[in-house]
């Protein structure tokens, strides 16, 4: 079955924001709460939404932000624009309190400017964000959802679990470093799915776990997100062994080992693009 997921477009806006709170959700994931007047009008309607986070140059500490022009974003003539893709995990519009946006950063050391910045972020630090440019809703008419995600896609997975109706049987396979990550979800969200936490430290086999789910019904939607190379055998199994159509499987490489700032629009399996 092909699912229709019309993309809702949002105006492209660059917003300057600052950090209000930081906390570790689990030891390897730091939640940064952003606030500021420019969050007024922020919208994120789809569980798989992402935005661009603009970060200060680690060398100079200067934050260089592009400007919005009719066909997209234009780099200023001076300064280095550094950006990475992140999931808007939670947005609380302004009311009694100022608007707040939570982004969960996986800390993987200082090799990347985003991880390095997040590990040191403190209240008052400045950032900019752009997007989401568009949102795809939960596909209409599904009765099942299977999610396979690593740490970087736990924010999106959490949004999927909260976005689907109670009538959607949801299974999640979370491929994480070790058991310290198992506490990532709050209890109410965790109760919305049958969840298996797979630990790379123990050599747990994600492909085997997906196979052990057995046949996947035609009204079940499958979301794969995480390290791009690791998604290749999962997608091959679903598309070629189970024969699921392209529209039933959303596979998105969120990062790739050894690649800086992966372009997630590139096919995860260039020899077999959709
Ligand atoms: C749609 C989308 C949504 C995303 N949402 C989130 C999110 O909510 N939270 C989140 O943490 N990430 C998320 N990511 C992934 C994030 O954009 C990448 O991990 C990004 O590369 C991090 O930037 P960096 O500056 O830390 O590292 P980079 O400068 O991009 O990379 C430096 C080195 O670190 C490696 N690396 C990058 N990420 C990781 C990692 N997670 N673990 C180990 N090594 C890594 C790279 O392979 C490279 O060798 C998302 C990506 C996409 C495409």
């Amino acid at each position: 079955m092909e699912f229709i997921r019309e993309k809702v477009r949002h105006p492209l806006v660059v917003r300057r924001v600052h950090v209000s709170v930081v906390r570790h959700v689990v030891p390897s994931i730091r939640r940064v709460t952003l606030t500021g007047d420019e969050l007024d009008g922020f919208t994120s309607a789809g569980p798989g939404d992402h935005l661009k986070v603009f970060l200060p140059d680690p060398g100079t500490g200067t934050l260089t932000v592009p400007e919005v022009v009719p066909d997209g974003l234009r780099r200023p003539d001076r300064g280095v624009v550094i950006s990475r893709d992140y999931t808007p995990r939670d947005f609380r519009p302004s009311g009694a309190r100022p608007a707040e946006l939570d982004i969960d950063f996986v800390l993987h050391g200082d090799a990347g400017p985003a991880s390095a910045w997040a590990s040191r972020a403190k209240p008052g630090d400045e950032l900019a964000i752009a997007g989401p440019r568009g949102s795809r809703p939960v596909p209409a008419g599904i009765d099942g959802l299977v999610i396979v995600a690593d740490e970087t896609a736990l924010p999106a997975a959490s949004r999927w679990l909260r976005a689907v109706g109670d009538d959607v049987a949801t299974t999640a396979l979370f491929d994480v470093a070790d058991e310290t990550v198992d506490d990532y979800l709050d209890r109410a969200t965790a109760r919305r799915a049958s969840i298996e936490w797979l630990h790379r430290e123990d050599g747990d086999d994600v492909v085997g776990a997906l196979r052990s789910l057995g046949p996947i019904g035609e009204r079940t939607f499958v979301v794969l997100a995480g390290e791009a190379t690791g998604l290749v055998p999962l997608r091959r199994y679903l598309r070629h062994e189970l024969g699921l159509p392209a529209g039933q499987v959303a596979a998105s490489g969120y990062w790739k080992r050894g690649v800086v700032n992966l372009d997630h629009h590139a096919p995860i399996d260039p020899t077999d693009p959709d």
Side-chain angles (χ1 to χ4, degrees):
M1 183 165 164
E2 293 280 346
F3 298 106
I4 296 166
R5 300 181 71 202
E6 288 290 335
K7 192 168 188 174
V8 180
R9 291 242 151 233
H10 308 300
L12 181 58
V13 181
V14 176
R15 302 167 200 274
R16 283 183 179 265
V17 290
H18 62 268
V19 175
S20 59
V21 181
V22 280
R23 75 174 179 94
H24 281 273
V25 191
V26 295
S28 57
I29 302 179
R30 202 154 191 231
R31 179 161 302 156
V32 176
T33 300
L34 300 167
T35 192
D37 294 343
E38 294 186 14
L39 280 179
D40 285 351
F42 179 87
T43 311
S44 172
D49 283 0
H50 70 281
L51 39 74
K52 289 240 171 276
V53 174
F54 296 95
L55 302 143
D57 181 334
T60 62
T62 305
L63 176 63
T64 306
V65 176
E67 77 176 293
V68 178
V69 291
D71 56 351
L73 295 175
R74 193 174 69 87
R75 288 169 184 272
D77 298 333
R78 306 179 67 160
V80 186
V81 175
I82 300 172
S83 71
R84 297 290 185 269
D85 294 320
Y86 280 84
T87 302
R89 187 190 190 277
D90 268 312
F91 176 63
R92 296 173 290 282
S94 61
R97 292 169 55 85
E100 289 182 324
L101 173 67
D102 291 339
I103 299 181
D104 285 355
F105 290 82
V106 173
L107 305 181
H108 60 90
D110 282 354
S115 171
W117 177 86
S119 68
R120 296 170 182 80
K122 56 184 186 321
D125 287 355
E126 292 194 358
L127 273 190
I129 57 167
R133 297 199 71 169
S135 301
R136 284 188 201 281
V138 173
I142 61 171
D143 65 6
L145 175 68
V146 173
I147 304 175
V148 185
D150 75 3
E151 284 93 335
T152 60
L154 287 176
S158 159
R159 290 194 59 165
W160 275 99
L161 298 191
R162 288 178 282 150
V164 293
D166 292 335
D167 52 341
V168 175
T170 302
T171 303
L173 305 176
F174 292 142
D175 169 25
V176 299
D178 56 45
E179 63 182 22
T180 63
V181 188
D182 298 8
D183 294 328
Y184 173 81
L185 294 173
D186 60 76
R187 279 199 196 138
T189 307
R191 270 200 294 269
R192 299 185 59 79
S194 162
I195 298 176
E196 193 175 346
W197 292 91
L198 300 153
H199 301 135
R200 290 189 292 276
E201 182 186 74
D202 301 331
D204 289 347
D205 172 15
V206 188
V207 181
L210 183 62
R211 283 180 181 279
S212 71
L213 300 182
I216 289 183
E218 64 168 10
R219 290 177 60 202
T220 294
F221 191 65
V222 186
V223 177
L224 309 176
E227 201 280 323
T229 312
L231 300 184
V232 172
L234 298 166
R235 180 182 165 280
R236 282 189 186 157
Y237 165 68
L238 293 165
R239 297 275 285 110
H240 300 306
E241 285 191 50
L242 293 186
L244 303 189
Q248 199 177 342
V249 181
S252 183
Y254 274 19
W255 63 285
K256 189 169 182 174
R257 208 166 292 287
V259 175
V260 170
N261 195 17
L262 175 70
D263 173 9
H264 69 108
H265 298 293
I268 57 165
D269 192 351
T271 60
D272 175 32
D274 276 326

